[in-house]
């Protein structure tokens, strides 16, 4: 059970319209939100908008939810993280994730297999870079340093710039039990995308058993403050339709897998089959209302207040709300969550 939830704002992907969420981020900072988060897939990157917002704020922490491993080498991510952490006075929370085979192999042109082993090596190298104890070497299978082969002239190097913090917090975006266990072992926090608060302990109790006492479970939660409950649930269902149906290949969709582990296996199979057949409206209709309601916080303030009890009774330590787009909504959500 979480005595006090931290509150963050997850902006998701940067979009051209609106192109600048600075007023919203500044409002969140004024209202006492702990953090703001950005994302990337195969459009905008996560670091650039975060640097933009970091330059226009002074206190709110800045998270990536998530940076894709295959987009950059471990050293490149470590350099970018170190730079942004310096420029923002030590406010970075570095969320990373393996993504999926369609994006990794189709967009970045690198192999996807063994994502957990790659993640482990990636984090090890970044922490070596930030510590600057000695020139960085690594004898792992996926990211050997120096590179064995090529011109044969590679040499171990040490980061030129001394980091502001040698222990920048690392979060893992993870859905499967083994990946969550890895987060508990090597990271400072976990970024679950879909969470049923009543079942998170049952689903992930053993994988989380080894987590440190200050391990942060920062759940992304669609939060829509509105009197139109039906419309809000439909918005959540539309998001679930895309992720369950289209964000992954048939037989290899991590979002569909997690929904199945929540107890909605038959629904997940039907949603994906309909979506891949081009019957998207039927796929949308196949998303159970109780699933959409369970993973979100939607409706008028009173309804959200009641639903927050389940989150407070869960192991979740931070709520990263997705959806608010005005200061009044941010204020009401702040009052509901923080009191």
């Amino acid at each position: 059970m979480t005595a006090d939830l931290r509150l963050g704002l997850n902006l998701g992907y940067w979009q051209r319209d609106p192109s600048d969420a600075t007023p919203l981020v500044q409002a969140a900072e004024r209202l006492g939100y702990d953090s703001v988060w950005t994302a990337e897939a195969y459009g905008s990157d996560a670091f650039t908008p975060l640097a933009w917002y970091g330059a226009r704020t002074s206190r709110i922490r800045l998270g990536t939810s998530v940076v894709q491993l295959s987009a950059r080498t471990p050293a490149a991510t470590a350099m970018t993280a170190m730079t942004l952490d310096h420029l923002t006075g030590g406010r970075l929370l570095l969320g990373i994730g393996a993504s999926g085979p369609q994006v990794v192999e189709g967009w970045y042109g690198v192999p996807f297999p063994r994502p957990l082993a790659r993640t482990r090596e990636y984090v090890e190298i970044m922490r070596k870079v930030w510590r600057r104890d000695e020139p960085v070497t690594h004898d792992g299978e996926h990211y050997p340093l120096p590179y064995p082969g090529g011109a044969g002239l590679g040499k171990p190097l040490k980061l030129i710039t001394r980091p502001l913090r040698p222990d920048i917090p690392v979060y893992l975006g993870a859905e499967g039990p083994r990946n969550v266990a890895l987060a508990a072992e090597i990271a400072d926090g976990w970024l679950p995308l879909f969470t049923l608060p009543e079942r998170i302990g049952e689903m992930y109790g053993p994988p989380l058993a080894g987590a440190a006492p200050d391990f942060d479970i920062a759940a992304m939660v669609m939060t829509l403050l509105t009197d139109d409950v039906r419309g809000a649930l439909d918005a959540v269902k539309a998001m679930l339709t895309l992720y369950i149906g289209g964000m992954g290949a048939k037989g290899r969709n991590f979002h569909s897998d997690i929904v199945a582990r929540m107890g909605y296996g038959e629904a997940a199979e039907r949603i994906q089959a309909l979506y891949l057949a081009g019957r998207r409206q039927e796929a949308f209709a196949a998303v159970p209302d109780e699933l959409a309601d369970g993973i979100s916080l939607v409706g008028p303030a009173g309804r959200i207040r009641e639903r927050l009890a389940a989150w407070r009774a869960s192991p979740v330590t931070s709520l990263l709300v997705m959806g608010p787009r005005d200061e009044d909504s941010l204020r009401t959500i702040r009052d509901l969550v923080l009191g």
Side-chain angles (χ1 to χ4, degrees), residues 41-246:
Y42 40 95
S44 61
D45 78 293
F47 283 122
T48 305
L50 204 61
W52 181 264
Y53 303 133
R56 288 155 176 79
T57 54
S58 60
R59 181 201 57 80
I60 196 166
R61 296 196 294 170
L62 308 160
T64 56
S65 178
V66 295
V67 161
Q68 296 169 308
L69 269 64
S70 298
R72 308 161 188 84
T73 64
T77 298
M79 291 167 59
T80 304
M82 177 276 298
T83 306
L84 184 52
D85 197 54
H86 252 300
L87 290 172
T88 59
R91 291 190 279 150
L92 181 64
L93 304 170
L94 180 61
I96 63 172
S99 189
Q102 288 186 320
V103 172
V104 170
E105 297 183 355
W107 185 248
Y108 295 118
V110 296
F112 178 77
R114 304 195 64 196
L116 272 68
R118 287 189 289 113
T119 301
R120 183 184 293 277
E121 289 189 28
Y122 207 98
V123 173
E124 287 176 358
I125 292 171
M126 290 196 301
R127 287 184 166 147
K128 284 183 180 181
V129 170
W130 296 329
R131 286 196 300 266
R132 293 184 77 251
D133 292 335
E134 58 188 0
V136 177
T137 62
H138 187 73
D139 61 1
E141 173 186 352
H142 301 280
Y143 303 104
L145 291 173
Y147 182 77
L153 299 174
K155 59 179 288 187
L157 298 171
K158 183 189 288 189
L159 189 67
I160 295 172
T161 308
R162 189 175 297 276
L164 181 65
R165 296 184 296 170
D167 54 352
I168 295 171
V170 175
Y171 287 61
L172 296 191
E175 292 181 279
R178 292 175 59 215
N179 207 0
V180 173
L182 181 66
E185 178 190 350
I186 70 171
D188 301 283
W190 168 37
L191 293 160
L193 176 58
F194 301 140
T195 305
L196 275 178
E198 296 90 347
R199 295 204 58 196
I200 186 173
E202 174 188 344
M203 293 173 64
Y204 297 110
L208 291 170
D214 59 350
F215 186 77
D216 187 17
I217 300 177
M220 294 170 266
V221 186
M222 182 76 83
T223 306
L224 301 173
L225 185 67
T226 175
D227 291 330
D228 182 7
V229 176
R230 178 71 265 162
L233 286 176
D234 284 348
V236 179
K237 289 177 64 170
M239 180 265 293
L240 284 168
T241 303
L242 172 62
Y243 276 83
I244 298 171

